Amino acid sequence: MKKQTKLNRLISALLALTMVLSLAACKADEPSSSDAGTPTGQVQTLPDTDPSGAKITVPEKINSIAVLAPSIAEVVIALGYGENIVAYDNSSVGLEGLPENKLVLDLSQPDIEQLAALKPDVLMVSNLSLYDQEAPYQQLIDMGVCVICVPTSDSIKDIQSDIAFIASVFGESAKGEAIIAEMQAEIDRIAAIGKTITEKKSVYFEISAAPYMYSCGSGVFLNELIELIGAKNILADQEGWLSVGEESVIAANPDVILTNVNYIENPTQEIMGRSGWDNLTAVKNGDVYYIDNMASSLPNQNVVKALSQMARAVYPEYYGK
C-alpha cells in the first residue's frame, strides 16, 4: 500500500483488503424476480428500481456482466453466472469461481472508457464505486448498459434482501431463496446455542491493525455476528465502523480478540506482541484468533462462514473447535 492520508489509509485497508465500510443507503422495497429467458424458464417480472432507488431497465437476457464489488461478485457466482462476468474490480481478483484473464478495473475509480469499449449488458456496483463525479456511469447508460447499484448493507436482514434483489435481476428468485434459506439455517443454529450462553465473553474485533486500528460498534453486521454467538462487543456502546485507540481496548480488557487483518504477516502474533497489551486477558490466555477476511468483510451469504469461525474461536466448549 502506498503512503497516504489517514482517510485514504482507511479506504485502502477496507477496500483493497476487502473490508467494506458501511455508508448510508436508501433501500427500496424488494421486487419480485425476473426473466422469461432464464435457465429456470420461469416468467417473472424484472425489477425496475435498484436498492439505491435508481430506475433501471434490466435486459431480458444477460450475456455479459461487469461487477465492481467483490460482495456482489460472490452472489453472482453463487447464482451460477460466474462465467458471464467479463470484467471485475481489483479487490475481486482471486475469488473462487471468477473467470481469469478478464478486464480488471479499479474498484473506486474504474476506467469508463474501458467499460464502454466492453459494453457489458449489466454493470453492477456498490456505493464504493460511485466515485466523486456527477453521474459517473451516464455514458454507459446512454449506450444501453444497465447500471445497477447495490449499496453496502449494514444488517444481515438487508444483506439477505440484496441477495434476493440480485437473484431477481437474473430471473433466479428460487436460487436466491435457496441461498438465503441455507444462510438463515446456519444463523439460526448458531443463534440457538448463543442464547443459552449466560456468561458472555467480551470481544474486540480488529479490522485494521495498529497504528491505524479500526473496529466496529453497534448497527453493523459484524456486531450482529458477535452477538449471535453469545458474546458482547467491547465497542457496542458506539455505532458504525470506528477508529480505535489502544487505550480504549486496554481499558475494556477483552476476553477474546479477533482479527481479519490480512495485509501483515501473522496478525495474531502482532497483536500478542504489542507493547502494553501483555496484561490483557485475551493475550495472557492466548485467545487471539484470525477470522477469514473475505467472509467477515463482505456483506453477502458468506458471512455465515465468519459466524461459524467466530463461534468456535470464542466458545469452543459450545460450538466445537
Coordinates of all heavy atoms in Angstrom, one line a residue, residues 231-304:
A231 N -21.7 -13.5 22.5 CA -20.7 -12.7 23.1 C -21.1 -11.2 23.1 O -22.2 -10.9 22.6 CB -19.4 -12.9 22.3
K232 N -20.3 -10.4 23.6 CA -20.6 -8.9 23.6 C -19.4 -8.2 23.0 O -18.2 -8.4 23.4 CB -20.9 -8.5 25.0 CG -19.9 -8.8 26.1 CD -20.4 -8.4 27.4 CE -19.4 -8.7 28.5 NZ -19.9 -8.4 29.9
N233 N -19.7 -7.2 22.2 CA -18.7 -6.4 21.6 C -18.2 -5.3 22.5 O -19.1 -4.6 23.1 CB -19.3 -5.8 20.3 CG -18.3 -4.8 19.6 OD1 -17.2 -4.7 19.9 ND2 -18.8 -4.2 18.5
I234 N -16.9 -5.1 22.8 CA -16.5 -4.1 23.8 C -16.8 -2.7 23.3 O -16.8 -1.8 24.1 CB -15.0 -4.2 24.1 CG1 -14.1 -3.9 22.8 CG2 -14.6 -5.6 24.6 CD1 -12.7 -3.7 23.1
L235 N -17.1 -2.5 22.0 CA -17.4 -1.2 21.5 C -18.9 -1.0 21.1 O -19.2 -0.1 20.4 CB -16.5 -1.0 20.2 CG -15.0 -1.0 20.5 CD1 -14.3 -1.0 19.1 CD2 -14.6 0.1 21.3
A236 N -19.7 -1.9 21.6 CA -21.2 -1.9 21.3 C -21.9 -0.6 21.7 O -23.0 -0.3 21.2 CB -21.9 -3.1 21.8
D237 N -21.3 0.2 22.6 CA -21.9 1.4 23.1 C -21.7 2.6 22.0 O -22.2 3.6 22.2 CB -21.3 1.9 24.4 CG -19.8 2.1 24.4 OD1 -19.1 1.5 23.6 OD2 -19.3 2.9 25.3
Q238 N -20.9 2.3 21.0 CA -20.7 3.2 19.9 C -21.4 2.6 18.6 O -21.8 1.5 18.6 CB -19.2 3.4 19.7 CG -18.5 4.0 20.9 CD -17.0 4.1 20.7 OE1 -16.6 4.9 19.8 NE2 -16.2 3.4 21.4
E239 N -21.4 3.4 17.6 CA -22.1 3.0 16.4 C -21.2 3.0 15.1 O -20.3 3.8 15.0 CB -23.3 3.9 16.1 CG -24.4 3.7 17.2 CD -25.7 4.5 16.8 OE1 -25.7 5.2 15.7 OE2 -26.6 4.5 17.5
G240 N -21.5 2.0 14.2 CA -20.8 2.0 12.9 C -19.4 1.5 13.0 O -18.9 0.9 14.0
W241 N -18.6 1.8 11.9 CA -17.2 1.4 11.8 C -16.4 2.5 12.5 O -16.6 3.7 12.2 CB -16.8 1.2 10.3 CG -17.7 0.3 9.7 CD1 -18.8 0.5 8.8 CD2 -17.7 -1.2 9.8 NE1 -19.4 -0.6 8.4 CE2 -18.7 -1.7 9.0 CE3 -16.9 -2.1 10.5 CZ2 -19.0 -3.0 8.8 CZ3 -17.1 -3.4 10.3 CH2 -18.2 -3.9 9.5
L242 N -15.4 2.1 13.3 CA -14.8 3.1 14.2 C -13.3 3.1 14.2 O -12.7 2.0 14.1 CB -15.2 2.8 15.7 CG -16.7 2.6 16.0 CD1 -16.8 2.0 17.3 CD2 -17.3 4.0 15.9
S243 N -12.6 4.2 14.3 CA -11.2 4.3 14.6 C -11.1 4.0 16.1 O -12.0 4.4 16.9 CB -10.7 5.7 14.4 OG -10.7 6.0 13.0
V244 N -10.1 3.2 16.5 CA -10.0 2.8 17.8 C -8.6 3.2 18.4 O -7.6 3.0 17.8 CB -10.1 1.2 17.9 CG1 -10.0 0.7 19.3 CG2 -11.4 0.8 17.3
G245 N -8.6 3.7 19.6 CA -7.4 4.0 20.4 C -7.0 2.8 21.2 O -7.9 2.1 21.7
E246 N -5.7 2.6 21.3 CA -5.2 1.5 22.1 C -5.7 1.6 23.5 O -6.0 0.5 24.2 CB -3.7 1.4 22.1 CG -3.1 1.0 20.8 CD -1.6 0.6 20.9 OE1 -1.3 -0.5 21.4 OE2 -0.8 1.5 20.6
E247 N -5.8 2.8 24.1 CA -6.2 2.9 25.4 C -7.6 2.4 25.7 O -7.9 1.8 26.8 CB -6.2 4.4 25.8 CG -4.9 5.1 25.6 CD -4.6 5.6 24.2 OE1 -5.5 5.4 23.3 OE2 -3.5 6.0 23.9
S248 N -8.5 2.5 24.7 CA -9.9 2.0 24.9 C -9.9 0.5 24.9 O -10.7 -0.1 25.7 CB -10.8 2.6 23.8 OG -10.4 2.1 22.6
V249 N -9.1 -0.1 24.1 CA -9.1 -1.6 24.1 C -8.5 -2.1 25.5 O -9.0 -3.0 26.1 CB -8.2 -2.1 22.9 CG1 -8.2 -3.7 23.0 CG2 -8.9 -1.7 21.6
I250 N -7.4 -1.5 25.9 CA -6.7 -1.9 27.1 C -7.7 -1.7 28.3 O -7.8 -2.6 29.2 CB -5.4 -1.1 27.3 CG1 -4.4 -1.5 26.2 CG2 -4.8 -1.3 28.7 CD1 -3.1 -0.6 26.2
A251 N -8.4 -0.6 28.3 CA -9.3 -0.3 29.4 C -10.5 -1.4 29.4 O -10.9 -1.8 30.5 CB -9.9 1.1 29.3
A252 N -10.9 -1.8 28.2 CA -12.0 -2.8 28.1 C -11.6 -4.2 28.5 O -12.4 -5.0 28.9 CB -12.6 -2.7 26.7
N253 N -10.3 -4.5 28.3 CA -9.7 -5.8 28.7 C -10.5 -6.9 28.1 O -11.1 -7.7 28.9 CB -9.5 -5.9 30.2 CG -8.7 -7.1 30.6 OD1 -8.0 -7.7 29.8 ND2 -8.9 -7.6 31.8
P254 N -10.6 -7.1 26.8 CA -11.5 -8.1 26.2 C -11.0 -9.5 26.6 O -9.8 -9.8 26.8 CB -11.3 -7.9 24.7 CG -10.0 -7.2 24.6 CD -9.9 -6.3 25.8
D255 N -12.0 -10.4 26.7 CA -11.7 -11.8 26.9 C -11.1 -12.5 25.7 O -10.3 -13.4 25.8 CB -13.0 -12.6 27.3 CG -13.6 -12.1 28.6 OD1 -12.8 -11.9 29.6 OD2 -14.8 -11.8 28.6
V256 N -11.5 -12.0 24.5 CA -11.1 -12.6 23.3 C -10.8 -11.5 22.3 O -11.6 -10.5 22.2 CB -12.2 -13.6 22.7 CG1 -11.7 -14.2 21.3 CG2 -12.5 -14.7 23.7
I257 N -9.8 -11.6 21.5 CA -9.5 -10.7 20.4 C -9.6 -11.5 19.1 O -9.0 -12.5 18.9 CB -8.2 -10.0 20.5 CG1 -8.1 -9.2 21.8 CG2 -7.8 -9.1 19.3 CD1 -6.7 -8.6 22.1
L258 N -10.4 -10.9 18.1 CA -10.5 -11.5 16.8 C -9.9 -10.5 15.8 O -10.1 -9.3 16.0 CB -12.0 -11.8 16.4 CG -12.7 -12.7 17.4 CD1 -14.2 -12.8 17.0 CD2 -12.1 -14.1 17.5
T259 N -9.3 -10.9 14.7 CA -8.8 -10.0 13.7 C -9.0 -10.7 12.3 O -8.9 -11.9 12.2 CB -7.3 -9.7 13.9 OG1 -6.9 -8.9 12.8 CG2 -6.5 -11.0 13.9
N260 N -9.4 -9.8 11.3 CA -9.4 -10.3 10.0 C -8.4 -9.6 9.1 O -8.4 -9.6 7.9 CB -10.8 -10.2 9.4 CG -11.2 -8.7 9.2 OD1 -10.5 -7.8 9.5 ND2 -12.5 -8.5 8.7
V261 N -7.4 -8.9 9.8 CA -6.3 -8.2 9.0 C -5.5 -9.3 8.3 O -5.0 -10.2 8.8 CB -5.4 -7.5 10.0 CG1 -4.2 -6.9 9.3 CG2 -6.2 -6.3 10.7
N262 N -5.4 -9.0 7.0 CA -4.6 -10.0 6.1 C -3.5 -9.3 5.3 O -3.0 -9.9 4.4 CB -5.6 -10.7 5.2 CG -6.2 -9.8 4.2 OD1 -6.1 -8.6 4.2 ND2 -6.9 -10.4 3.2
Y263 N -3.2 -8.1 5.7 CA -2.1 -7.4 4.9 C -0.8 -7.3 5.7 O 0.1 -6.6 5.2 CB -2.6 -6.0 4.5 CG -3.0 -5.1 5.6 CD1 -2.1 -4.2 6.2 CD2 -4.4 -5.1 6.1 CE1 -2.5 -3.4 7.3 CE2 -4.8 -4.3 7.1 CZ -3.8 -3.5 7.7 OH -4.2 -2.6 8.8
I264 N -0.7 -7.9 6.9 CA 0.5 -8.0 7.6 C 0.8 -9.5 7.9 O -0.2 -10.3 8.0 CB 0.6 -7.2 8.9 CG1 -0.5 -7.7 9.8 CG2 0.4 -5.7 8.6 CD1 -0.4 -7.0 11.2
E265 N 2.0 -9.9 8.1 CA 2.4 -11.2 8.4 C 2.0 -11.6 9.8 O 2.3 -10.9 10.7 CB 3.8 -11.5 8.1 CG 4.3 -12.9 8.3 CD 5.7 -13.1 8.0 OE1 6.4 -12.2 7.5 OE2 6.2 -14.3 8.1
N266 N 1.2 -12.7 10.0 CA 0.8 -13.2 11.3 C 0.2 -12.1 12.2 O 0.8 -11.7 13.2 CB 2.1 -13.8 12.0 CG 1.6 -14.8 13.0 OD1 0.5 -14.8 13.5 ND2 2.5 -15.8 13.3
P267 N -1.0 -11.6 11.8 CA -1.6 -10.6 12.6 C -1.9 -10.9 14.1 O -1.9 -10.0 14.9 CB -2.9 -10.3 11.8 CG -3.2 -11.5 11.1 CD -1.8 -12.1 10.7
T268 N -2.2 -12.2 14.3 CA -2.4 -12.6 15.7 C -1.2 -12.4 16.6 O -1.3 -11.9 17.7 CB -3.0 -14.0 15.8 OG1 -2.0 -14.9 15.2 CG2 -4.3 -14.1 15.1
Q269 N 0.0 -12.8 16.1 CA 1.2 -12.6 16.8 C 1.6 -11.2 17.0 O 2.1 -10.7 18.0 CB 2.3 -13.4 16.1 CG 2.3 -14.9 16.2 CD 2.3 -15.3 17.7 OE1 3.1 -14.9 18.5 NE2 1.3 -16.2 18.0
E270 N 1.2 -10.4 15.9 CA 1.5 -8.9 16.1 C 0.7 -8.3 17.2 O 1.2 -7.5 18.0 CB 1.1 -8.2 14.7 CG 1.5 -6.8 14.6 CD 0.5 -5.8 15.3 OE1 -0.7 -6.1 15.2 OE2 0.9 -4.8 15.8
I271 N -0.6 -8.7 17.3 CA -1.4 -8.2 18.4 C -0.8 -8.7 19.8 O -0.7 -7.9 20.7 CB -2.9 -8.7 18.3 CG1 -3.5 -8.0 17.1 CG2 -3.7 -8.5 19.6 CD1 -4.9 -8.6 16.7
M272 N -0.5 -10.0 19.9 CA 0.0 -10.5 21.1 C 1.4 -9.9 21.5 O 1.7 -9.9 22.7 CB 0.1 -12.0 21.1 CG -1.3 -12.7 20.9 SD -1.2 -14.5 20.9 CE -0.7 -14.8 22.6
G273 N 2.1 -9.4 20.6 CA 3.4 -8.8 20.9 C 3.4 -7.3 21.1 O 4.4 -6.7 21.3
R274 N 2.2 -6.7 21.1 CA 2.1 -5.2 21.2 C 2.5 -4.8 22.6 O 2.1 -5.4 23.6 CB 0.7 -4.7 20.9 CG 0.4 -4.7 19.4 CD -1.0 -4.2 19.2 NE -1.4 -4.5 17.8 CZ -2.6 -4.3 17.3 NH1 -3.6 -4.0 18.1 NH2 -2.9 -4.5 16.0
S275 N 3.3 -3.7 22.7 CA 3.7 -3.2 24.0 C 2.5 -2.7 24.8 O 1.6 -2.0 24.2 CB 4.6 -2.0 23.7 OG 5.0 -1.4 24.9
G276 N 2.4 -3.1 26.0 CA 1.3 -2.7 26.9 C 0.1 -3.6 26.8 O -0.9 -3.4 27.6
W277 N 0.1 -4.6 25.9 CA -1.1 -5.5 25.7 C -0.9 -6.8 26.5 O -1.8 -7.6 26.5 CB -1.3 -5.7 24.3 CG -1.9 -4.6 23.5 CD1 -1.5 -3.3 23.6 CD2 -3.1 -4.6 22.7 NE1 -2.3 -2.5 22.8 CE2 -3.3 -3.2 22.2 CE3 -3.9 -5.5 22.2 CZ2 -4.3 -2.9 21.3 CZ3 -4.9 -5.2 21.3 CH2 -5.1 -3.9 20.9
D278 N 0.3 -7.0 27.0 CA 0.6 -8.3 27.6 C -0.3 -8.7 28.8 O -0.4 -9.9 29.2 CB 2.1 -8.4 28.0 CG 2.5 -7.2 28.9 OD1 2.2 -6.1 28.5 OD2 3.2 -7.5 29.9
N279 N -0.9 -7.7 29.5 CA -1.7 -8.0 30.6 C -3.2 -8.1 30.3 O -4.0 -8.4 31.2 CB -1.6 -6.9 31.7 CG -0.3 -7.0 32.4 OD1 0.2 -8.1 32.7 ND2 0.4 -5.8 32.7
L280 N -3.5 -8.0 29.0 CA -4.9 -8.2 28.6 C -5.3 -9.7 28.7 O -4.5 -10.5 28.5 CB -5.1 -7.8 27.1 CG -5.0 -6.3 26.7 CD1 -5.3 -6.1 25.3 CD2 -6.0 -5.5 27.6
T281 N -6.5 -9.9 29.2 CA -6.9 -11.3 29.4 C -6.8 -12.1 28.2 O -6.3 -13.3 28.2 CB -8.4 -11.3 29.9 OG1 -8.5 -10.6 31.1 CG2 -8.9 -12.7 30.1
A282 N -7.2 -11.6 27.0 CA -7.1 -12.3 25.7 C -5.7 -12.7 25.4 O -5.4 -13.8 24.9 CB -7.8 -11.5 24.6
V283 N -4.8 -11.8 25.6 CA -3.4 -12.0 25.3 C -2.8 -13.0 26.3 O -2.0 -13.9 25.9 CB -2.6 -10.7 25.3 CG1 -1.1 -10.9 25.1 CG2 -3.1 -9.8 24.2
K284 N -3.0 -12.8 27.6 CA -2.5 -13.7 28.6 C -2.9 -15.2 28.4 O -2.2 -16.1 28.6 CB -2.9 -13.3 30.0 CG -2.2 -12.0 30.5 CD -2.4 -11.8 32.0 CE -3.8 -11.5 32.3 NZ -4.0 -11.1 33.7
N285 N -4.2 -15.3 27.9 CA -4.7 -16.7 27.7 C -4.5 -17.2 26.3 O -4.9 -18.3 26.0 CB -6.2 -16.7 28.0 CG -6.5 -16.4 29.5 OD1 -5.6 -16.6 30.3 ND2 -7.7 -15.9 29.8
G286 N -3.9 -16.4 25.4 CA -3.7 -16.8 24.1 C -4.9 -16.8 23.2 O -5.0 -17.5 22.2
D287 N -6.0 -16.1 23.6 CA -7.2 -16.1 22.9 C -7.3 -15.0 21.9 O -8.1 -14.1 22.0 CB -8.4 -16.0 23.9 CG -8.6 -17.3 24.7 OD1 -8.4 -18.4 24.1 OD2 -9.0 -17.2 25.9
V288 N -6.4 -15.1 21.0 CA -6.4 -14.1 19.8 C -6.4 -14.9 18.6 O -5.6 -15.8 18.3 CB -5.1 -13.3 19.9 CG1 -5.1 -12.3 18.7 CG2 -4.9 -12.6 21.2
Y289 N -7.4 -14.7 17.7 CA -7.7 -15.6 16.6 C -7.9 -14.8 15.3 O -8.5 -13.7 15.3 CB -9.0 -16.4 16.9 CG -8.9 -17.2 18.2 CD1 -9.5 -16.8 19.3 CD2 -8.1 -18.4 18.2 CE1 -9.4 -17.5 20.5 CE2 -8.1 -19.1 19.4 CZ -8.7 -18.6 20.6 OH -8.6 -19.3 21.7
Y290 N -7.5 -15.5 14.2 CA -7.8 -14.9 12.9 C -9.1 -15.4 12.3 O -9.4 -16.6 12.4 CB -6.6 -15.3 11.9 CG -6.9 -14.7 10.5 CD1 -6.7 -13.4 10.2 CD2 -7.3 -15.6 9.5 CE1 -6.9 -12.9 8.9 CE2 -7.6 -15.1 8.2 CZ -7.4 -13.8 7.9 OH -7.6 -13.3 6.7
I291 N -9.9 -14.5 11.8 CA -11.2 -14.9 11.1 C -11.0 -14.5 9.6 O -10.5 -13.5 9.3 CB -12.3 -14.1 11.7 CG1 -12.4 -14.3 13.3 CG2 -13.7 -14.4 11.1 CD1 -12.6 -15.8 13.7
D292 N -11.5 -15.4 8.8 CA -11.4 -15.2 7.3 C -11.8 -13.8 6.9 O -12.9 -13.3 7.3 CB -12.3 -16.2 6.6 CG -12.2 -16.1 5.1 OD1 -11.3 -16.8 4.6 OD2 -12.9 -15.4 4.5
N293 N -10.9 -13.1 6.2 CA -11.1 -11.7 5.9 C -12.3 -11.5 5.0 O -13.1 -10.6 5.2 CB -9.8 -11.2 5.2 CG -9.9 -9.8 4.7 OD1 -10.4 -9.5 3.7 ND2 -9.5 -8.8 5.6
M294 N -12.3 -12.3 3.9 CA -13.4 -12.0 3.0 C -14.8 -12.3 3.6 O -15.7 -11.6 3.4 CB -13.2 -12.9 1.7 CG -11.9 -12.6 1.0 SD -11.9 -11.0 0.2 CE -12.7 -11.4 -1.4
A295 N -14.9 -13.4 4.3 CA -16.2 -13.8 4.9 C -16.7 -12.8 5.9 O -17.9 -12.6 6.0 CB -16.0 -15.2 5.5
S296 N -15.7 -12.2 6.7 CA -16.1 -11.3 7.7 C -16.2 -9.8 7.2 O -16.7 -8.9 7.9 CB -15.2 -11.3 8.9 OG -13.8 -11.0 8.5
S297 N -15.8 -9.6 5.9 CA -15.8 -8.3 5.4 C -16.9 -8.0 4.4 O -17.4 -6.9 4.3 CB -14.4 -8.0 4.7 OG -13.3 -8.1 5.6
L298 N -17.2 -9.0 3.6 CA -18.2 -8.8 2.5 C -19.6 -9.1 2.9 O -19.9 -10.2 3.4 CB -17.8 -9.7 1.3 CG -16.3 -9.5 0.8 CD1 -16.1 -10.4 -0.4 CD2 -16.0 -8.1 0.4
P299 N -20.5 -8.2 2.7 CA -21.9 -8.3 3.1 C -22.7 -9.2 2.1 O -23.4 -8.7 1.2 CB -22.4 -6.9 3.1 CG -21.6 -6.2 2.1 CD -20.3 -6.8 2.1
N300 N -22.5 -10.5 2.2 CA -23.2 -11.5 1.4 C -23.4 -12.8 2.2 O -23.2 -12.8 3.4 CB -22.6 -11.7 0.0 CG -21.2 -12.3 0.1 OD1 -20.9 -13.1 1.0 ND2 -20.3 -11.9 -0.8
Q301 N -23.8 -13.8 1.5 CA -24.2 -15.1 2.1 C -23.0 -15.7 2.9 O -23.2 -16.5 3.8 CB -24.7 -16.1 1.1 CG -23.7 -16.6 0.1 CD -23.5 -15.7 -1.1 OE1 -24.0 -14.6 -1.1 NE2 -22.7 -16.1 -2.1
N302 N -21.8 -15.4 2.6 CA -20.6 -16.0 3.2 C -20.3 -15.5 4.6 O -19.3 -15.9 5.2 CB -19.4 -15.8 2.3 CG -19.6 -16.7 1.0 OD1 -20.1 -17.8 1.0 ND2 -19.1 -16.1 -0.1
V303 N -21.1 -14.5 5.1 CA -20.9 -14.1 6.5 C -21.1 -15.2 7.4 O -20.5 -15.2 8.5 CB -21.8 -12.9 6.8 CG1 -21.4 -11.6 6.0 CG2 -23.2 -13.2 6.8
V304 N -21.8 -16.2 7.0 CA -22.0 -17.4 7.9 C -20.8 -18.2 8.1 O -20.6 -18.8 9.2 CB -23.2 -18.3 7.4 CG1 -24.5 -17.5 7.5 CG2 -22.9 -18.9 6.1

